[in-house]
Every structure is written in C-alpha cells, then in structure tokens.
Amino acid sequence: MTKHEQMQAFVRYYKRENKKTVVTMAEVARAAIAQGWAIPPPVSGEDRLAKQFADAEREEIRYDRKTTRPYRANLAMTQRLKDGKQLALWIDTDEATRSQMVLAIAKYREQMLGEAEIGTNTVNHWNSIHPDQMELPFPLDFTEEIQWRLNAPIEVRSGKTA
C-alpha cells in the first residue's frame, strides 16, 4: 500500500470513527499525529519560495491590448531528466517560441482533458449509485458558454457592474 493509499484509508477510518461525512484535512492531520503518524520534515525555505514563485506565475493574467481579453501570462512545460524526474520550466506567453507554446498548450489541454474525464467518471458513478435520484448532467461541450463569455460586455466578464 502506498503512502497516499494509507492516508486515504486513514481519512475513511477517521470519518467512520467520528461519524462524519465532511472533514477538514487539518483535523484529520491532528488525529493522525495523535495516533502516532510521523510529522513530515519541514520544507526548506528555498523549496517553499520556489512553490510561491510557481503559484505567482500560474495566477498571473494579462489582457490583450487589442481585444482586452484575459490570457495566461505564464505557462509551464515539463522536461524529463535522466533520473526520470520531471522538471517544470516556466515560459512567458509573450516571449515564448512557437515550439515552446506547442508543448505548453499540449500540457495545458491534457490537464483539461484529464479533469473532464475524471469529472465524467465521478458524475457517472454518483448517478449509478443513486438510481432513485434525477441524474446529474455533466455536459462537456463548452462552446456556447465560451462564446457567451467572449461576447459579454467587459463589465460582465470582469464581474463588475455599473
């Protein structure tokens, strides 16, 4: 059993023992520590700062000068190292070469597809174990919503109203 599988089993155990269906991971961690789980070593300041930089790059949105539409300022690409580990490399959308953009957008699209697949599986599972309930829909064609957002007034797109 992997460490994550052990942790998942502990969460189920904690919920069952405490008769809860909704928990925070902080309360689960406190219970695990109380039962002898080892506290992981602290993350180095350099590792924490690197993660903060990655988070900052991931969230930066810029606006196209001509259309005023938002776009991702920075994208991640991955490079596999000789030891099998993956290294995340960050590029600026405005400075990236076409080949860098092809790699980064392929990764971005793969992440979106992965989320769509697991979301579909999750909804299908819930629907199958609740046959007495109205099925939950999970449409994957976003064409209409995207067109609506692309054509919405700027105030609506930004969430600001007059």
Side-chain angles (χ1 to χ4, degrees):
M1 187 182 292
T2 68
K3 182 175 182 176
H4 280 186
E5 289 169 339
Q6 291 172 348
M7 295 173 94
Q8 293 159 358
F10 185 82
V11 172
R12 288 190 296 276
Y13 161 81
Y14 176 82
K15 289 165 72 174
R16 186 174 54 251
E17 288 296 308
N18 291 282
K19 297 177 177 41
K20 290 185 163 200
T21 58
V22 178
V23 296
T24 68
M25 291 304 111
E27 71 183 276
V28 172
R30 280 191 297 277
I33 292 166
Q35 291 195 19
W37 282 64
I39 298 174
V43 176
S44 77
E46 181 180 333
D47 288 344
R48 204 169 358 183
L49 185 58
K51 183 180 181 330
Q52 290 174 353
F53 272 111
D55 292 344
E57 290 295 277
R58 188 177 295 107
E59 80 176 29
E60 185 180 6
I61 299 293
R62 293 190 195 133
Y63 295 86
D64 183 276
R65 285 191 179 121
K66 292 178 189 170
T67 66
T68 70
R69 296 180 197 270
Y71 67 94
R72 287 227 176 268
N74 308 291
L75 297 169
M77 308 182 312
T78 53
Q79 178 182 30
R80 186 163 306 276
L81 302 176
K82 291 178 184 175
D83 63 3
K85 293 182 181 176
Q86 285 191 344
L87 180 64
L89 302 171
W90 287 87
I91 58 171
D92 184 305
T93 301
D94 295 343
E95 300 168 353
T97 64
R98 179 175 173 75
S99 61
Q100 289 172 331
M101 285 300 290
V102 166
L103 289 172
I105 292 299
K107 180 182 189 303
Y108 196 33
R109 185 171 168 74
E110 187 61 37
Q111 291 169 339
M112 293 168 62
L113 288 169
E115 287 299 313
E117 178 185 12
I118 198 71
T120 299
N121 292 343
T122 303
V123 169
N124 288 345
H125 168 74
W126 189 90
N127 287 337
S128 73
I129 64 170
H130 294 92
D132 56 324
Q133 303 257 346
M134 183 186 309
E135 281 197 358
L136 292 173
F138 197 69
L140 296 176
D141 182 356
F142 297 104
T143 305
E144 220 172 273
E145 289 94 335
I146 295 296
Q147 286 304 311
W148 186 88
R149 287 182 182 205
L150 290 175
N151 292 298
I154 292 172
E155 301 82 36
V156 174
R157 278 188 265 147
S158 66
K160 299 174 186 170
T161 53

